[in-house]
Amino acid sequence: MPANAPTTTTTVLTVRALLLDMDGTLVNSDAVVERCWRRWAVEHGLDPEEALKVVHGRQGYLTMAVLLPDRPMELNLADNRVMLAEETADLDGVVPVTGAPAFMTAIAGLPHALVTSADEALATARLTASGLPIPATRVTAEHVSASKPDPEGFLKGAAELGVDPADCLALEDSDAGITAARAAGMRVLGVGPRAVSLSPTAHTYDLTDVRVTAPLPDGTFEVHVGA
């Protein structure tokens, strides 16, 4: 190797299951998220740029509660239903995260679950628009009583797979999601630019540098992150 060549490292994580966030992790939906939330922020007299700092990873009603803390929750829940319908109908610019199609093919035979703050309809619409398979095991907004950063969704995903949370690897892109996964006792692979400053267990800017090995007799498999 030339003396001035950049060094590369690979992180190897031994796990029994993968718990996958959707937006920002498997699907790039930033364009539609920004369109819808900018519009909502302006309608409510908020700075859109400030609003966009807290929208990722949470269910919409919780984002609204953060931005308008004195607002009655029933109004947030009503607005959230409208927002979900708008986001489900608007698929312009929804594309897979780079490397996601190959990654999903590679993990097809391994224990994995979708854990997303989207509801079932929105998750189905975005995964389908991105050409990605819909995991058989899914924890969507309808299945939890508390949104990320609460760990409920990740704990339910692990339970449905029958895997101890400590043996799971969560793939996440946002502060709320990474906080939730950590609270569930899981290691975290941060995906994308939002995750880089959040000190996940390992980090990648997309899924092209993530590969998995075949399961060993004890049911574990390795996730290699890096070149």
PDB file of all heavy atoms in Angstrom, residues 97-108 132 207-208 210:
ATOM      1  N   VAL A  97     -32.269   4.247  -0.310  1.00  0.00           N
ATOM      2  CA  VAL A  97     -30.921   4.644   0.101  1.00  0.00           C
ATOM      3  C   VAL A  97     -29.928   3.825  -0.725  1.00  0.00           C
ATOM      4  O   VAL A  97     -30.166   2.644  -1.023  1.00  0.00           O
ATOM      5  CB  VAL A  97     -30.730   4.391   1.612  1.00  0.00           C
ATOM      6  CG1 VAL A  97     -29.263   4.455   2.012  1.00  0.00           C
ATOM      7  CG2 VAL A  97     -31.542   5.400   2.418  1.00  0.00           C
ATOM      8  N   THR A  98     -28.850   4.436  -1.133  1.00  0.00           N
ATOM      9  CA  THR A  98     -27.857   3.744  -1.946  1.00  0.00           C
ATOM     10  C   THR A  98     -27.415   2.444  -1.262  1.00  0.00           C
ATOM     11  O   THR A  98     -27.031   2.446  -0.097  1.00  0.00           O
ATOM     12  CB  THR A  98     -26.640   4.645  -2.191  1.00  0.00           C
ATOM     13  OG1 THR A  98     -27.075   5.868  -2.787  1.00  0.00           O
ATOM     14  CG2 THR A  98     -25.645   3.966  -3.113  1.00  0.00           C
ATOM     15  N   GLY A  99     -27.492   1.355  -2.010  1.00  0.00           N
ATOM     16  CA  GLY A  99     -27.104   0.060  -1.477  1.00  0.00           C
ATOM     17  C   GLY A  99     -28.228  -0.712  -0.817  1.00  0.00           C
ATOM     18  O   GLY A  99     -28.070  -1.902  -0.506  1.00  0.00           O
ATOM     19  N   ALA A 100     -29.393  -0.067  -0.604  1.00  0.00           N
ATOM     20  CA  ALA A 100     -30.481  -0.742   0.109  1.00  0.00           C
ATOM     21  C   ALA A 100     -31.038  -1.945  -0.646  1.00  0.00           C
ATOM     22  O   ALA A 100     -31.324  -2.976  -0.021  1.00  0.00           O
ATOM     23  CB  ALA A 100     -31.594   0.254   0.428  1.00  0.00           C
ATOM     24  N   PRO A 101     -31.235  -1.889  -1.983  1.00  0.00           N
ATOM     25  CA  PRO A 101     -31.767  -3.076  -2.658  1.00  0.00           C
ATOM     26  C   PRO A 101     -30.892  -4.315  -2.469  1.00  0.00           C
ATOM     27  O   PRO A 101     -31.394  -5.395  -2.134  1.00  0.00           O
ATOM     28  CB  PRO A 101     -31.833  -2.633  -4.124  1.00  0.00           C
ATOM     29  CG  PRO A 101     -32.013  -1.147  -4.057  1.00  0.00           C
ATOM     30  CD  PRO A 101     -31.161  -0.725  -2.899  1.00  0.00           C
ATOM     31  N   ALA A 102     -29.584  -4.167  -2.655  1.00  0.00           N
ATOM     32  CA  ALA A 102     -28.685  -5.312  -2.482  1.00  0.00           C
ATOM     33  C   ALA A 102     -28.651  -5.766  -1.033  1.00  0.00           C
ATOM     34  O   ALA A 102     -28.602  -6.974  -0.740  1.00  0.00           O
ATOM     35  CB  ALA A 102     -27.281  -4.954  -2.964  1.00  0.00           C
ATOM     36  N   PHE A 103     -28.675  -4.820  -0.109  1.00  0.00           N
ATOM     37  CA  PHE A 103     -28.660  -5.168   1.309  1.00  0.00           C
ATOM     38  C   PHE A 103     -29.900  -5.970   1.686  1.00  0.00           C
ATOM     39  O   PHE A 103     -29.804  -6.994   2.384  1.00  0.00           O
ATOM     40  CB  PHE A 103     -28.572  -3.896   2.150  1.00  0.00           C
ATOM     41  CG  PHE A 103     -28.685  -4.127   3.630  1.00  0.00           C
ATOM     42  CD1 PHE A 103     -27.616  -4.639   4.347  1.00  0.00           C
ATOM     43  CD2 PHE A 103     -29.864  -3.830   4.307  1.00  0.00           C
ATOM     44  CE1 PHE A 103     -27.720  -4.860   5.719  1.00  0.00           C
ATOM     45  CE2 PHE A 103     -29.975  -4.045   5.675  1.00  0.00           C
ATOM     46  CZ  PHE A 103     -28.898  -4.565   6.376  1.00  0.00           C
ATOM     47  N   MET A 104     -31.068  -5.534   1.240  1.00  0.00           N
ATOM     48  CA  MET A 104     -32.299  -6.252   1.578  1.00  0.00           C
ATOM     49  C   MET A 104     -32.309  -7.648   0.966  1.00  0.00           C
ATOM     50  O   MET A 104     -32.816  -8.601   1.575  1.00  0.00           O
ATOM     51  CB  MET A 104     -33.511  -5.445   1.133  1.00  0.00           C
ATOM     52  CG  MET A 104     -33.706  -4.136   1.905  1.00  0.00           C
ATOM     53  SD  MET A 104     -33.932  -4.390   3.679  1.00  0.00           S
ATOM     54  CE  MET A 104     -35.608  -5.056   3.709  1.00  0.00           C
ATOM     55  N   THR A 105     -31.747  -7.790  -0.220  1.00  0.00           N
ATOM     56  CA  THR A 105     -31.624  -9.122  -0.821  1.00  0.00           C
ATOM     57  C   THR A 105     -30.720 -10.008   0.022  1.00  0.00           C
ATOM     58  O   THR A 105     -31.004 -11.184   0.260  1.00  0.00           O
ATOM     59  CB  THR A 105     -31.078  -9.013  -2.248  1.00  0.00           C
ATOM     60  OG1 THR A 105     -32.006  -8.275  -3.055  1.00  0.00           O
ATOM     61  CG2 THR A 105     -30.874 -10.388  -2.865  1.00  0.00           C
ATOM     62  N   ALA A 106     -29.630  -9.432   0.525  1.00  0.00           N
ATOM     63  CA  ALA A 106     -28.650 -10.200   1.290  1.00  0.00           C
ATOM     64  C   ALA A 106     -29.204 -10.687   2.623  1.00  0.00           C
ATOM     65  O   ALA A 106     -28.794 -11.740   3.120  1.00  0.00           O
ATOM     66  CB  ALA A 106     -27.397  -9.353   1.527  1.00  0.00           C
ATOM     67  N   ILE A 107     -30.133  -9.931   3.222  1.00  0.00           N
ATOM     68  CA  ILE A 107     -30.635 -10.314   4.552  1.00  0.00           C
ATOM     69  C   ILE A 107     -31.966 -11.060   4.471  1.00  0.00           C
ATOM     70  O   ILE A 107     -32.553 -11.367   5.519  1.00  0.00           O
ATOM     71  CB  ILE A 107     -30.781  -9.090   5.474  1.00  0.00           C
ATOM     72  CG1 ILE A 107     -31.914  -8.176   5.006  1.00  0.00           C
ATOM     73  CG2 ILE A 107     -29.459  -8.336   5.575  1.00  0.00           C
ATOM     74  CD1 ILE A 107     -32.287  -7.115   6.037  1.00  0.00           C
ATOM     75  N   ALA A 108     -32.413 -11.373   3.270  1.00  0.00           N
ATOM     76  CA  ALA A 108     -33.745 -11.973   3.111  1.00  0.00           C
ATOM     77  C   ALA A 108     -33.934 -13.221   3.967  1.00  0.00           C
ATOM     78  O   ALA A 108     -35.027 -13.456   4.503  1.00  0.00           O
ATOM     79  CB  ALA A 108     -33.991 -12.295   1.642  1.00  0.00           C
ATOM     80  N   LEU A 132     -38.303  -1.823  -2.754  1.00  0.00           N
ATOM     81  CA  LEU A 132     -37.735  -2.660  -1.700  1.00  0.00           C
ATOM     82  C   LEU A 132     -38.769  -3.644  -1.176  1.00  0.00           C
ATOM     83  O   LEU A 132     -39.959  -3.327  -1.130  1.00  0.00           O
ATOM     84  CB  LEU A 132     -37.231  -1.782  -0.545  1.00  0.00           C
ATOM     85  CG  LEU A 132     -36.114  -0.794  -0.879  1.00  0.00           C
ATOM     86  CD1 LEU A 132     -35.791   0.060   0.339  1.00  0.00           C
ATOM     87  CD2 LEU A 132     -34.864  -1.535  -1.346  1.00  0.00           C
ATOM     88  N   LEU A 207     -25.632   2.089   2.453  1.00  0.00           N
ATOM     89  CA  LEU A 207     -25.573   0.653   2.727  1.00  0.00           C
ATOM     90  C   LEU A 207     -24.657  -0.115   1.780  1.00  0.00           C
ATOM     91  O   LEU A 207     -24.618  -1.345   1.815  1.00  0.00           O
ATOM     92  CB  LEU A 207     -26.988   0.068   2.684  1.00  0.00           C
ATOM     93  CG  LEU A 207     -27.924   0.620   3.765  1.00  0.00           C
ATOM     94  CD1 LEU A 207     -29.343   0.094   3.561  1.00  0.00           C
ATOM     95  CD2 LEU A 207     -27.426   0.279   5.155  1.00  0.00           C
ATOM     96  N   THR A 208     -23.893   0.601   0.972  1.00  0.00           N
ATOM     97  CA  THR A 208     -23.013  -0.085   0.032  1.00  0.00           C
ATOM     98  C   THR A 208     -21.854  -0.784   0.725  1.00  0.00           C
ATOM     99  O   THR A 208     -21.321  -1.773   0.210  1.00  0.00           O
ATOM    100  CB  THR A 208     -22.460   0.887  -1.030  1.00  0.00           C
ATOM    101  OG1 THR A 208     -21.790   1.967  -0.356  1.00  0.00           O
ATOM    102  CG2 THR A 208     -23.573   1.454  -1.882  1.00  0.00           C
ATOM    103  N   VAL A 210     -21.980  -2.239   3.697  1.00  0.00           N
ATOM    104  CA  VAL A 210     -22.479  -3.138   4.741  1.00  0.00           C
ATOM    105  C   VAL A 210     -22.743  -4.500   4.113  1.00  0.00           C
ATOM    106  O   VAL A 210     -23.456  -4.614   3.118  1.00  0.00           O
ATOM    107  CB  VAL A 210     -23.778  -2.597   5.366  1.00  0.00           C
ATOM    108  CG1 VAL A 210     -24.263  -3.534   6.469  1.00  0.00           C
ATOM    109  CG2 VAL A 210     -23.573  -1.190   5.913  1.00  0.00           C
TER     110      VAL A 210
END
